[in-house]
Amino acid sequence: MLAHLLRLAGIETIVLEARTRDYCETRIRAGLMEQGSVDLMEEVGATERLHREALVHGGIYLRFNGRSHRIDIHGTTGRSMYIYGQQEIVKDLIALQLAAGGDIRFECSDVSIDGLDSDRPTLRYVDAAGDETRVTCDFVAGCDGFHGMSRPAIPESVLQTYDRQYPFAWLGILSESPPLDPELVYAHHPDGFALFTMRSNTMSRLYLQVAVDEDIANWSDDRIWSELHHRLEGEETPPLIEGPVLQKSILPMRSFMTVPMRFRRLFLAGDSAHIVPPTGAKGMNLALADVAVLARAFETFYATGSEHKLDAYSATALRRAWGAARFSWWMTSLTHVFNDRLAFDNMAQLSELHYITSSRAGAETLAEQYVGLPIER
Ligand code: DHB
């Protein structure tokens, strides 16, 4: 997305990607886009397939005490959410960038940065053919994920980090089966959280709260389905339809924030700077918002020579990132079972779920953040 926004502003980029194109286009990741993320896809002209295939959602269900309550997201905010897999976004953006003559280099390994102190940093890497290669540039955008080399390239003495681990994980499956409901169901259940979401009208994505150190080998398909029926179904809900499990994995839950998001000519964006627990689906949307802010800062610099937006990038991006981090932490705290909590805290959690689903102000608080906070550019 950053490469697209910059290309449209007449700024040249080179994208170094560790994986193969096929890997990027097929790995199952996030699937829920905020309206603002769709607006960005619109801005770069990448919505042709999205508008054809994405499922538009105007609400979600919160389920607790055996009943489902709808939060009317569109009714309260005038905005919608879109179901469209991250790998589909990646597919569309790669195709468009290559068609426009953009430079994406796949299978780059051993990437390192030299000369961050200078005006012309250099990236060294080993290319797909195994040759040592260098790229010298004006700026480096560290969009290389939580385990990438960008964040560690910044001296520890200038970074502050905020880390929060959660005492549980998610087990996620992709199932070839029709949706339980046309909208997402976030379920609080005494035996643990469950989430029903989807990728299409024939493909469901389901998650279960499991122990933090859970071994996937303990979860046969039968056990997973039995637990999903148990946590998601009730008298007034239709039965969950089972289908072949195409993929299953365990996802860790963590909040991690890096401050600042810039060191000299290196700018961090997305997971390289921060990760959020998956509840509320903020990770990918936050990464897209980061690069929207960053693209505008580069654009201003190249158009006017002014560095004021580059200097403001970290603070601007962090204001929104903390909003998403807080929301993801809050959605997680609201809907999961914490075994170490006091009985009082569990009652307060149920009371908060009741408040969010019965008060207009409560529902608006959730809806406004769920649909996505504004992007300050
Ligand atoms: C999805 C994942 C989430 O964490 C969430 O809150 C909503 C949707 C998904 O994979 O579709």
Side-chain angles (χ1 to χ4, degrees):
M1 178 58 78
L2 179 59
H4 280 281
L5 291 167
L6 294 178
R7 177 172 52 73
L8 294 173
I11 301 163
E12 196 186 332
T13 62
I14 297 174
V15 178
L16 303 186
E17 167 57 50
R19 305 290 189 153
T20 63
R21 180 175 179 181
D22 181 59
Y23 180 92
C24 298
E25 293 184 345
T26 51
R27 92 181 143 169
I28 307 286
R29 302 296 289 273
L32 189 67
M33 299 180 78
E34 294 173 357
Q35 177 79 58
S37 298
V38 173
D39 294 345
L40 282 171
M41 290 288 279
E42 201 86 62
E43 195 173 318
V44 302
T47 45
E48 192 202 320
R49 193 162 67 96
L50 190 153
H51 283 318
R52 225 175 28 239
E53 296 181 10
L55 304 175
V56 184
H57 283 197
I60 58 166
Y61 290 96
L62 285 184
R63 185 172 175 78
F64 60 98
N65 281 344
R67 297 200 75 80
S68 296
H69 307 257
R70 185 168 188 267
I71 304 279
D72 184 0
I73 308 260
H74 188 266
T76 31
T77 65
R79 293 156 73 75
S80 305
M81 305 293 296
Y82 297 74
I83 290 283
Y84 194 67
Q86 178 171 324
Q87 74 278 13
E88 306 305 326
I89 299 175
V90 167
K91 229 180 263 174
D92 296 343
L93 290 177
I94 290 175
L96 188 64
Q97 184 70 355
L98 294 178
D103 187 343
I104 309 178
R105 304 180 187 180
F106 293 96
E107 295 179 82
C108 298
S109 56
D110 299 314
V111 184
S112 62
I113 309 181
D114 285 334
L116 266 185
D117 281 331
S118 74
D119 285 350
R120 299 280 292 163
T122 296
L123 289 166
R124 294 164 185 263
Y125 66 96
V126 175
D127 70 14
D131 294 326
E132 289 248 11
T133 312
R134 289 167 182 227
V135 177
T136 297
C137 52
D138 292 341
F139 298 102
V140 179
C143 306
D144 54 347
F146 190 61
H147 300 289
M149 49 66 66
S150 298
R151 191 179 64 257
I154 302 177
E156 264 179 44
S157 57
V158 306
L159 283 189
Q160 241 177 314
T161 57
Y162 300 83
D163 195 1
R164 192 190 199 295
Q165 315 255 5
Y166 296 83
F168 38 73
W170 276 15
L171 189 163
I173 65 163
L174 185 68
S175 157
E176 202 178 333
S177 51
L180 164 73
D181 191 280
E183 295 180 334
L184 274 57
V185 182
Y186 290 81
H188 172 278
H189 187 280
D191 294 334
F193 170 80
L195 168 61
F196 168 79
T197 170
M198 68 208 74
R199 288 293 171 274
S200 69
N201 287 323
T202 55
M203 205 63 84
S204 295
R205 180 100 169 122
L206 299 119
Y207 301 99
L208 285 170
Q209 175 184 351
V210 294
V212 70
D213 54 358
E214 191 62 74
D215 182 352
I216 193 116
N218 293 333
W219 288 83
S220 65
D221 292 358
D222 280 350
R223 182 176 176 204
I224 293 171
W225 284 114
S226 144
E227 203 56 33
L228 286 167
H229 285 294
H230 177 60
R231 296 189 196 176
L232 284 166
E233 278 176 7
E235 280 164 23
E236 91 282 28
T237 43
L240 187 60
I241 299 169
E242 298 185 18
V245 175
L246 305 183
Q247 195 243 9
K248 63 179 162 184
S249 57
I250 303 254
L251 290 74
M253 308 276 286
R254 188 173 184 181
S255 299
F256 186 93
M257 303 292 289
T258 304
V259 178
M261 288 169 61
R262 174 199 187 171
F263 178 68
R264 308 215 164 128
R265 298 227 149 206
L266 170 63
F267 294 77
L268 303 181
D271 280 18
S272 71
H274 31 243
I275 51 174
V276 295
T279 332
K282 289 290 166 237
M284 176 188 67
N285 292 295
L286 175 53
L288 289 169
D290 285 347
V291 297
V293 177
L294 185 54
R296 190 57 54 79
F298 285 137
E299 223 180 298
T300 304
F301 172 75
Y302 284 106
T304 68
S306 164
E307 293 190 26
H308 79 278
K309 287 211 173 202
L310 289 174
D311 291 342
Y313 168 69
S314 178
T316 306
L318 275 165
R319 243 188 322 274
R320 193 179 185 287
W322 273 112
R326 185 186 46 69
F327 178 71
S328 308
W329 159 78
W330 175 75
M331 269 290 271
T332 304
S333 308
L334 183 68
T335 53
H336 287 65
V337 172
F338 290 73
N339 286 324
D340 55 352
R341 263 187 186 162
L342 298 174
F344 177 91
D345 297 351
N346 291 331
M347 295 310 286
Q349 179 188 37
L350 287 171
S351 171
E352 186 165 19
L353 281 163
H354 174 71
Y355 171 67
I356 295 294
T357 51
S358 61
S359 140
R360 182 164 179 94
E364 277 178 358
T365 294
L366 188 145
E368 180 184 53
Q369 302 180 83
Y370 191 86
V371 86
L373 295 168
I375 305 175
E376 283 177 64
R377 297 162 80 182

